[in-house]
Amino acid sequence: MPQFQTGHTWFLAQFKPNSHKIAERNLRRQNFQTFLPLHEETKRKAGRFTTILRPLFTGYLFVGFDASKGGWGAVNSTYGITRLVSFGDDPRPVPQDLISGLMQRCDDGGKLLPPRILKTGDTVEISGGPFAEFVATVENVDPDQRVWVLLELMGRTTRVAIHSDALKLV
Protein backbone atom coordinates (compact mmCIF):
# COMPACT_ATOMS: atom_id res chain seq x y z
CA MET A 1 0.00 0.00 0.00
CA PRO A 2 1.39 3.43 -0.89
CA GLN A 3 2.52 5.64 2.02
CA PHE A 4 1.58 9.32 2.01
CA GLN A 5 1.78 12.29 4.34
CA THR A 6 -1.26 13.08 6.42
CA GLY A 7 -2.91 16.47 6.41
CA HIS A 8 -3.17 16.59 2.65
CA THR A 9 -6.45 16.94 0.83
CA TRP A 10 -6.85 14.87 -2.31
CA PHE A 11 -8.17 16.24 -5.58
CA LEU A 12 -8.87 14.68 -8.95
CA ALA A 13 -6.78 15.98 -11.85
CA GLN A 14 -7.43 15.32 -15.51
CA PHE A 15 -4.30 14.64 -17.53
CA LYS A 16 -3.78 15.06 -21.24
CA PRO A 17 -4.20 11.93 -23.42
CA ASN A 18 -1.44 9.36 -22.77
CA SER A 19 0.39 11.80 -20.47
CA HIS A 20 -0.07 10.14 -17.08
CA LYS A 21 3.65 9.46 -16.63
CA ILE A 22 4.63 13.00 -17.66
CA ALA A 23 1.96 14.58 -15.45
CA GLU A 24 2.87 12.43 -12.45
CA ARG A 25 6.60 13.14 -12.83
CA ASN A 26 6.07 16.90 -13.15
CA LEU A 27 3.71 17.05 -10.16
CA ARG A 28 6.22 15.18 -8.00
CA ARG A 29 8.99 17.56 -9.07
CA GLN A 30 6.85 20.35 -7.60
CA ASN A 31 6.47 18.38 -4.32
CA PHE A 32 2.84 17.40 -4.88
CA GLN A 33 1.79 13.94 -3.81
CA THR A 34 0.28 11.83 -6.56
CA PHE A 35 -1.69 8.63 -6.56
CA LEU A 36 -2.34 6.86 -9.84
CA PRO A 37 -4.05 3.49 -9.37
CA LEU A 38 -3.12 1.10 -12.19
CA HIS A 39 -4.59 -2.17 -13.38
CA GLU A 40 -3.27 -4.85 -15.70
CA GLU A 41 -4.81 -4.99 -19.15
CA THR A 42 -4.15 -7.82 -21.57
CA LYS A 43 -4.42 -7.11 -25.29
CA ARG A 44 -3.70 -9.04 -28.41
CA LYS A 45 -1.12 -7.31 -30.57
CA ALA A 46 0.44 -8.80 -33.71
CA GLY A 47 -0.86 -12.26 -32.80
CA ARG A 48 0.61 -12.14 -29.26
CA PHE A 49 -0.95 -11.35 -25.93
CA THR A 50 0.73 -8.56 -23.99
CA THR A 51 -0.09 -7.31 -20.51
CA ILE A 52 0.37 -3.63 -19.75
CA LEU A 53 -0.38 -1.43 -16.77
CA ARG A 54 -3.01 1.22 -17.50
CA PRO A 55 -4.60 3.87 -15.27
CA LEU A 56 -7.65 2.52 -13.45
CA PHE A 57 -9.49 5.80 -14.11
CA THR A 58 -8.63 6.63 -17.71
CA GLY A 59 -7.56 10.25 -17.99
CA TYR A 60 -7.42 10.99 -14.25
CA LEU A 61 -5.01 10.85 -11.31
CA PHE A 62 -5.25 12.00 -7.69
CA VAL A 63 -3.17 14.92 -6.42
CA GLY A 64 -2.63 15.53 -2.72
CA PHE A 65 -1.61 18.87 -1.21
CA ASP A 66 -2.43 21.20 1.66
CA ALA A 67 -5.43 23.07 0.29
CA SER A 68 -5.13 25.84 2.88
CA LYS A 69 -1.88 26.95 1.21
CA GLY A 70 -3.44 27.07 -2.24
CA GLY A 71 -1.58 25.33 -5.05
CA TRP A 72 -4.48 24.87 -7.44
CA GLY A 73 -2.97 27.19 -10.02
CA ALA A 74 0.34 25.32 -9.92
CA VAL A 75 -1.41 21.99 -10.52
CA ASN A 76 -3.52 23.40 -13.37
CA SER A 77 -0.44 24.82 -15.08
CA THR A 78 1.64 21.64 -14.73
CA TYR A 79 2.83 20.17 -18.03
CA GLY A 80 0.73 17.09 -18.76
CA ILE A 81 -2.27 18.21 -16.66
CA THR A 82 -5.41 19.60 -18.27
CA ARG A 83 -7.11 20.79 -15.08
CA LEU A 84 -8.27 19.91 -11.59
CA VAL A 85 -11.85 18.65 -11.61
CA SER A 86 -14.01 21.52 -10.32
CA PHE A 87 -17.62 22.31 -9.63
CA GLY A 88 -17.92 26.04 -10.04
CA ASP A 89 -14.75 28.05 -9.50
CA ASP A 90 -13.02 25.88 -6.89
CA PRO A 91 -11.82 22.29 -7.13
CA ARG A 92 -13.70 19.90 -4.86
CA PRO A 93 -11.79 17.43 -2.68
CA VAL A 94 -12.20 13.69 -3.12
CA PRO A 95 -13.60 11.92 0.00
CA GLN A 96 -10.77 10.60 2.18
CA ASP A 97 -12.38 7.14 2.58
CA LEU A 98 -12.40 6.68 -1.19
CA ILE A 99 -8.66 7.45 -1.38
CA SER A 100 -7.83 5.24 1.63
CA GLY A 101 -9.90 2.36 0.26
CA LEU A 102 -8.14 2.58 -3.11
CA MET A 103 -4.72 2.79 -1.47
CA GLN A 104 -5.44 -0.31 0.60
CA ARG A 105 -6.27 -2.20 -2.58
CA CYS A 106 -2.98 -1.17 -4.28
CA ASP A 107 0.63 -2.27 -3.87
CA ASP A 108 3.51 0.20 -3.36
CA GLY A 109 3.68 0.95 -7.10
CA GLY A 110 -0.03 1.77 -7.30
CA LYS A 111 -0.98 -1.50 -9.02
CA LEU A 112 -4.46 -2.71 -8.07
CA LEU A 113 -4.23 -6.01 -6.20
CA PRO A 114 -6.73 -8.80 -6.85
CA PRO A 115 -9.63 -8.87 -4.41
CA ARG A 116 -8.88 -10.76 -1.24
CA ILE A 117 -10.33 -14.21 -1.15
CA LEU A 118 -12.57 -15.13 1.74
CA LYS A 119 -13.13 -18.74 2.69
CA THR A 120 -15.89 -20.54 4.54
CA GLY A 121 -15.21 -20.30 8.27
CA ASP A 122 -13.24 -17.02 8.16
CA THR A 123 -14.03 -14.54 10.91
CA VAL A 124 -14.77 -11.10 9.49
CA GLU A 125 -15.79 -7.66 10.71
CA ILE A 126 -18.49 -5.79 8.81
CA SER A 127 -17.23 -2.31 7.94
CA GLY A 128 -20.38 -0.62 6.66
CA GLY A 129 -24.15 -0.65 6.60
CA PRO A 130 -26.59 -1.44 9.40
CA PHE A 131 -24.36 -4.20 10.77
CA ALA A 132 -21.16 -2.09 10.90
CA GLU A 133 -18.61 -3.30 13.47
CA PHE A 134 -20.38 -6.64 13.95
CA VAL A 135 -18.17 -9.72 13.87
CA ALA A 136 -19.45 -12.60 11.77
CA THR A 137 -18.41 -15.95 10.32
CA VAL A 138 -18.30 -16.56 6.56
CA GLU A 139 -20.75 -19.26 5.56
CA ASN A 140 -20.52 -19.11 1.76
CA VAL A 141 -18.99 -16.94 -1.01
CA ASP A 142 -20.89 -16.45 -4.29
CA PRO A 143 -19.05 -15.87 -7.61
CA ASP A 144 -20.41 -12.29 -7.75
CA GLN A 145 -18.45 -11.46 -4.53
CA ARG A 146 -21.56 -11.55 -2.36
CA VAL A 147 -20.70 -13.23 0.90
CA TRP A 148 -23.17 -15.00 3.17
CA VAL A 149 -22.22 -14.52 6.81
CA LEU A 150 -23.64 -15.76 10.09
CA LEU A 151 -24.31 -13.09 12.73
CA GLU A 152 -25.26 -13.45 16.38
CA LEU A 153 -28.28 -11.18 16.90
CA MET A 154 -30.28 -11.27 20.13
CA GLY A 155 -29.19 -14.81 20.94
CA ARG A 156 -29.94 -16.20 17.47
CA THR A 157 -27.72 -16.95 14.52
CA THR A 158 -28.88 -15.01 11.45
CA ARG A 159 -27.73 -15.48 7.86
CA VAL A 160 -27.03 -12.20 5.98
CA ALA A 161 -25.71 -11.48 2.45
CA ILE A 162 -23.02 -8.75 2.26
CA HIS A 163 -20.76 -7.59 -0.56
CA SER A 164 -17.12 -8.61 0.02
CA ASP A 165 -15.95 -4.96 -0.06
CA ALA A 166 -17.81 -4.35 3.22
CA LEU A 167 -15.88 -7.08 5.06
CA LYS A 168 -12.41 -7.24 6.56
CA LEU A 169 -10.67 -10.27 8.04
CA VAL A 170 -10.29 -10.29 11.81
mmCIF file of all heavy atoms in Angstrom, residues 15 25 55 58 82 85 91 98 101 110 116 118-119 123 128-129 143 161:
data_model
loop_
_atom_site.group_PDB
_atom_site.id
_atom_site.type_symbol
_atom_site.label_atom_id
_atom_site.label_comp_id
_atom_site.label_asym_id
_atom_site.label_seq_id
_atom_site.Cartn_x
_atom_site.Cartn_y
_atom_site.Cartn_z
ATOM 1 N N PHE A 15 -5.545 14.473 -16.780
ATOM 2 C CA PHE A 15 -4.304 14.643 -17.526
ATOM 3 C C PHE A 15 -4.572 14.544 -19.012
ATOM 4 O O PHE A 15 -5.606 14.040 -19.447
ATOM 5 C CB PHE A 15 -3.203 13.673 -17.076
ATOM 6 C CG PHE A 15 -3.573 12.210 -17.087
ATOM 7 C CD1 PHE A 15 -3.551 11.471 -18.256
ATOM 8 C CD2 PHE A 15 -3.909 11.563 -15.904
ATOM 9 C CE1 PHE A 15 -3.868 10.130 -18.266
ATOM 10 C CE2 PHE A 15 -4.232 10.216 -15.905
ATOM 11 C CZ PHE A 15 -4.205 9.506 -17.084
ATOM 12 N N ARG A 25 5.210 12.740 -13.054
ATOM 13 C CA ARG A 25 6.599 13.140 -12.833
ATOM 14 C C ARG A 25 6.697 14.645 -12.553
ATOM 15 O O ARG A 25 7.365 15.071 -11.619
ATOM 16 C CB ARG A 25 7.447 12.762 -14.049
ATOM 17 C CG ARG A 25 8.920 13.128 -13.882
ATOM 18 C CD ARG A 25 9.771 12.728 -15.077
ATOM 19 N NE ARG A 25 9.278 13.354 -16.286
ATOM 20 C CZ ARG A 25 8.998 12.699 -17.419
ATOM 21 N NH1 ARG A 25 9.166 11.393 -17.488
ATOM 22 N NH2 ARG A 25 8.562 13.338 -18.488
ATOM 23 N N PRO A 55 -3.898 3.192 -16.373
ATOM 24 C CA PRO A 55 -4.595 3.869 -15.267
ATOM 25 C C PRO A 55 -5.988 3.265 -15.055
ATOM 26 O O PRO A 55 -6.710 2.984 -16.018
ATOM 27 C CB PRO A 55 -4.702 5.319 -15.743
ATOM 28 C CG PRO A 55 -3.570 5.477 -16.717
ATOM 29 C CD PRO A 55 -3.442 4.139 -17.388
ATOM 30 N N THR A 58 -9.231 6.094 -16.493
ATOM 31 C CA THR A 58 -8.630 6.625 -17.706
ATOM 32 C C THR A 58 -8.741 8.139 -17.751
ATOM 33 O O THR A 58 -9.823 8.694 -17.667
ATOM 34 C CB THR A 58 -9.323 6.017 -18.942
ATOM 35 O OG1 THR A 58 -9.270 4.600 -18.828
ATOM 36 C CG2 THR A 58 -8.634 6.446 -20.218
ATOM 37 N N THR A 82 -4.421 18.734 -17.623
ATOM 38 C CA THR A 82 -5.407 19.597 -18.267
ATOM 39 C C THR A 82 -6.001 20.544 -17.235
ATOM 40 O O THR A 82 -5.991 21.756 -17.412
ATOM 41 C CB THR A 82 -6.537 18.761 -18.912
ATOM 42 O OG1 THR A 82 -5.948 17.861 -19.839
ATOM 43 C CG2 THR A 82 -7.538 19.638 -19.617
ATOM 44 N N VAL A 85 -10.405 18.772 -11.451
ATOM 45 C CA VAL A 85 -11.851 18.653 -11.609
ATOM 46 C C VAL A 85 -12.517 19.599 -10.620
ATOM 47 O O VAL A 85 -12.229 19.564 -9.419
ATOM 48 C CB VAL A 85 -12.312 17.202 -11.387
ATOM 49 C CG1 VAL A 85 -13.817 17.090 -11.413
ATOM 50 C CG2 VAL A 85 -11.688 16.295 -12.441
ATOM 51 N N PRO A 91 -11.876 23.756 -7.078
ATOM 52 C CA PRO A 91 -11.824 22.290 -7.133
ATOM 53 C C PRO A 91 -12.438 21.698 -5.866
ATOM 54 O O PRO A 91 -12.311 22.268 -4.786
ATOM 55 C CB PRO A 91 -10.335 21.975 -7.194
ATOM 56 C CG PRO A 91 -9.660 23.244 -7.519
ATOM 57 C CD PRO A 91 -10.553 24.350 -7.088
ATOM 58 N N LEU A 98 -12.589 7.220 0.149
ATOM 59 C CA LEU A 98 -12.396 6.685 -1.195
ATOM 60 C C LEU A 98 -10.907 6.502 -1.486
ATOM 61 O O LEU A 98 -10.480 5.446 -1.958
ATOM 62 C CB LEU A 98 -13.024 7.613 -2.235
ATOM 63 C CG LEU A 98 -12.776 7.216 -3.690
ATOM 64 C CD1 LEU A 98 -13.535 5.947 -4.031
ATOM 65 C CD2 LEU A 98 -13.162 8.334 -4.616
ATOM 66 N N GLY A 101 -9.472 3.667 0.751
ATOM 67 C CA GLY A 101 -9.898 2.359 0.257
ATOM 68 C C GLY A 101 -9.134 1.946 -0.981
ATOM 69 O O GLY A 101 -8.719 0.795 -1.113
ATOM 70 N N GLY A 110 1.277 1.300 -6.871
ATOM 71 C CA GLY A 110 -0.026 1.773 -7.299
ATOM 72 C C GLY A 110 -0.825 0.755 -8.091
ATOM 73 O O GLY A 110 -1.917 1.045 -8.548
ATOM 74 N N ARG A 116 -9.265 -9.716 -2.200
ATOM 75 C CA ARG A 116 -8.883 -10.757 -1.240
ATOM 76 C C ARG A 116 -9.912 -11.879 -1.299
ATOM 77 O O ARG A 116 -11.079 -11.648 -1.604
ATOM 78 C CB ARG A 116 -8.790 -10.182 0.159
ATOM 79 C CG ARG A 116 -10.117 -9.668 0.678
ATOM 80 C CD ARG A 116 -9.937 -8.897 1.957
ATOM 81 N NE ARG A 116 -11.183 -8.422 2.472
ATOM 82 C CZ ARG A 116 -11.865 -7.396 2.016
ATOM 83 N NH1 ARG A 116 -11.406 -6.727 0.995
ATOM 84 N NH2 ARG A 116 -13.007 -7.034 2.543
ATOM 85 N N LEU A 118 -12.023 -14.667 0.474
ATOM 86 C CA LEU A 118 -12.566 -15.128 1.745
ATOM 87 C C LEU A 118 -12.940 -16.592 1.600
ATOM 88 O O LEU A 118 -13.375 -17.025 0.534
ATOM 89 C CB LEU A 118 -13.796 -14.299 2.126
ATOM 90 C CG LEU A 118 -13.550 -12.819 2.367
ATOM 91 C CD1 LEU A 118 -14.867 -12.077 2.520
ATOM 92 C CD2 LEU A 118 -12.697 -12.610 3.598
ATOM 93 N N LYS A 119 -12.801 -17.321 2.697
ATOM 94 C CA LYS A 119 -13.126 -18.737 2.688
ATOM 95 C C LYS A 119 -14.186 -19.016 3.740
ATOM 96 O O LYS A 119 -14.323 -18.273 4.714
ATOM 97 C CB LYS A 119 -11.881 -19.569 3.007
ATOM 98 C CG LYS A 119 -10.717 -19.376 2.074
ATOM 99 C CD LYS A 119 -9.544 -20.258 2.437
ATOM 100 C CE LYS A 119 -8.958 -20.056 3.789
ATOM 101 N NZ LYS A 119 -8.229 -18.909 4.137
ATOM 102 N N THR A 123 -13.380 -15.519 10.036
ATOM 103 C CA THR A 123 -14.029 -14.542 10.914
ATOM 104 C C THR A 123 -13.781 -13.165 10.326
ATOM 105 O O THR A 123 -12.648 -12.813 10.022
ATOM 106 C CB THR A 123 -13.451 -14.625 12.345
ATOM 107 O OG1 THR A 123 -13.643 -15.955 12.822
ATOM 108 C CG2 THR A 123 -14.157 -13.648 13.265
ATOM 109 N N GLY A 128 -19.404 -1.627 7.078
ATOM 110 C CA GLY A 128 -20.380 -0.619 6.664
ATOM 111 C C GLY A 128 -21.790 -1.157 6.720
ATOM 112 O O GLY A 128 -22.023 -2.351 6.891
ATOM 113 N N GLY A 129 -22.753 -0.257 6.609
ATOM 114 C CA GLY A 129 -24.154 -0.647 6.601
ATOM 115 C C GLY A 129 -24.727 -0.783 7.995
ATOM 116 O O GLY A 129 -24.109 -0.397 8.987
ATOM 117 N N PRO A 143 -19.969 -16.362 -6.577
ATOM 118 C CA PRO A 143 -19.048 -15.868 -7.612
ATOM 119 C C PRO A 143 -19.135 -14.361 -7.837
ATOM 120 O O PRO A 143 -18.173 -13.744 -8.272
ATOM 121 C CB PRO A 143 -19.479 -16.614 -8.872
ATOM 122 C CG PRO A 143 -20.260 -17.790 -8.400
ATOM 123 C CD PRO A 143 -20.842 -17.416 -7.073
ATOM 124 N N ALA A 161 -26.546 -11.619 3.651
ATOM 125 C CA ALA A 161 -25.709 -11.475 2.454
ATOM 126 C C ALA A 161 -25.087 -10.087 2.448
ATOM 127 O O ALA A 161 -25.785 -9.087 2.623
ATOM 128 C CB ALA A 161 -26.532 -11.674 1.199
#
